[in-house]
Amino acid sequence: MAAPRNVTVEIGRQRDVESAKEDSPTSKKTWGSRLEGRFPLTQWEVAAAMSVFLIFSVGLICIYSTMPPADYDKILRLPRTISDLRILRDHLATYAKDYQAQFMLGYCSTYIFMQTFMIPGTIFMSLLAGALFGVVRGFFLVVFTATAGASSCYFLSKLIGRPLILWLWPEKLRFFQAEIAKRREKILNYMLFLRITPTLPNTFINMASPIVDIPFHVFFLATLVGLMPASYITVKAGIALGDLKSVKDLYDFKTLCVLFLIGSISILPTILKRKRTYE
């Protein structure tokens, strides 16, 4: 009777070893493949996400309710094309001029809300800032709201983002994590490069940064400074909205070259340090 018992124990040990291998970070069976086919968030995580969304939504509604009356059917619309944006600008021009402080509060709240919950359309909001407020005020407004929204998304991802980003972008996350691991000593320079250039989507950076253990002060500073060039280009384009045909016109080849040149300057100290090390 001892032999079958030993076989059972050995089978149990083999299962434990296989389970440990599957849970290992170096295992070929990734989180992404394990989560494939089912929604990654637990009931608690869904409840947490809905609670945060509800709090933000109630706050946004409270802000809108204190604003002066207007024809909300025409102004409470998220533009999806440049034509929609021109129409919205025409409807908002007088309202934004007459109730500037209230409108700025509503604008900032909407922008941060969209950035926090990764709602597409913030590029149109940036263009609208240029069209309504001019270059200087529009620039500072966009940089402030984009940084605040990205920071809010950072903390939301820190709360519930890990399984979601592993489900959505497993390969991209592994690449990002490997690049961060190679550049820990100059992480701020690398983050500035990513923010200035369109190497990785900003939404992905916002969500992935807390997952790969990028400190918030580094994330915040890189976001604040790194978004300035693109924000300036977008806000300035908003002034000449009539000449703009599509969003793609914002980032032509020349503009992309300028952004990559600025981004390269941010990682120049890292390159020079490596060169001295090899010498």
Side-chain angles (χ1 to χ4, degrees):
M1 296 298 291
R5 184 177 178 182
N6 291 337
V7 171
T8 304
V9 171
E10 185 63 29
I11 291 173
R13 287 176 179 173
Q14 290 178 358
R15 286 177 178 174
D16 291 341
V17 171
E18 290 175 0
S19 176
K21 287 181 178 179
E22 287 181 356
D23 291 335
S24 171
T26 57
S27 173
K28 292 182 180 179
K29 189 172 183 181
T30 64
W31 268 96
S33 61
R34 272 186 276 177
L35 291 171
E36 188 176 357
R38 67 183 182 87
F39 191 66
L41 298 182
T42 64
Q43 290 183 349
W44 180 89
E45 289 167 335
V46 171
M50 293 302 295
S51 299
V52 174
F53 184 82
L54 184 63
I55 291 170
F56 271 76
S57 299
V58 170
L60 198 61
I61 292 170
C62 290
I63 290 172
Y64 282 153
S65 65
T66 61
M67 295 180 70
D71 192 352
Y72 292 114
D73 292 337
K74 294 180 179 180
I75 66 173
L76 287 183
R77 291 182 180 181
L78 287 178
R80 296 302 177 192
T81 65
I82 296 297
S83 299
D84 292 343
L85 188 62
R86 291 194 193 101
I87 295 171
L88 184 62
R89 176 201 58 186
D90 295 339
H91 288 312
L92 284 173
T94 304
Y95 187 86
K97 186 177 180 180
D98 294 341
Y99 309 105
Q100 194 170 104
Q102 296 95 323
F103 179 80
M104 280 189 174
L105 179 62
Y107 173 91
C108 292
S109 304
T110 304
Y111 200 119
I112 293 170
F113 181 86
M114 293 174 66
Q115 193 91 322
T116 300
F117 298 103
M118 298 163 287
I119 300 172
T122 52
I123 184 73
F124 293 107
M125 296 289 288
S126 299
L127 287 166
L128 187 63
L132 295 176
F133 302 115
V135 175
V136 177
R137 283 188 299 172
F139 169 76
F140 284 107
L141 200 63
V142 168
V143 171
F144 165 74
T145 50
T147 304
S151 301
S152 184
C153 185
Y154 175 98
F155 287 111
L156 181 63
S157 179
K158 196 169 187 177
L159 178 67
I160 59 163
R162 182 177 294 274
L164 194 58
I165 196 169
L166 286 167
W167 184 54
L168 292 171
W169 303 295
E171 297 296 331
K172 193 176 290 186
L173 181 63
R174 278 195 294 275
F175 167 78
F176 187 45
Q177 194 163 21
E179 293 299 310
I180 292 297
K182 290 189 293 186
R183 297 170 171 84
R184 279 290 173 190
E185 292 184 2
K186 295 289 183 179
I187 189 67
L188 178 59
N189 299 81
Y190 182 61
M191 287 296 293
L192 278 170
F193 175 80
L194 292 180
R195 282 303 197 189
I196 293 169
T197 63
T199 306
L200 288 173
N202 281 325
T203 300
F204 173 80
I205 296 173
N206 295 342
M207 285 193 66
S209 293
I211 309 304
V212 298
D213 297 325
I214 294 175
F216 176 69
H217 70 277
V218 173
F219 174 86
F220 178 84
L221 187 58
T223 302
L224 180 66
V225 178
L227 291 181
M228 287 182 178
S231 297
Y232 175 78
I233 292 169
T234 309
V235 170
K236 190 175 180 181
I239 296 175
L241 205 56
D243 301 330
L244 202 63
K245 294 180 180 178
S246 70
V247 177
K248 294 180 181 179
D249 296 340
L250 283 171
Y251 299 102
D252 54 12
F253 180 74
K254 182 180 177 181
T255 303
L256 290 175
C257 287
V258 171
L259 290 176
F260 272 100
L261 179 62
I262 298 172
S264 300
I265 294 172
S266 69
I267 60 171
L268 189 61
T270 305
I271 298 172
L272 293 176
K273 184 178 179 180
R274 284 186 179 180
K275 187 178 179 180
R276 292 195 194 99
T277 304
Y278 291 140
E279 290 175 351

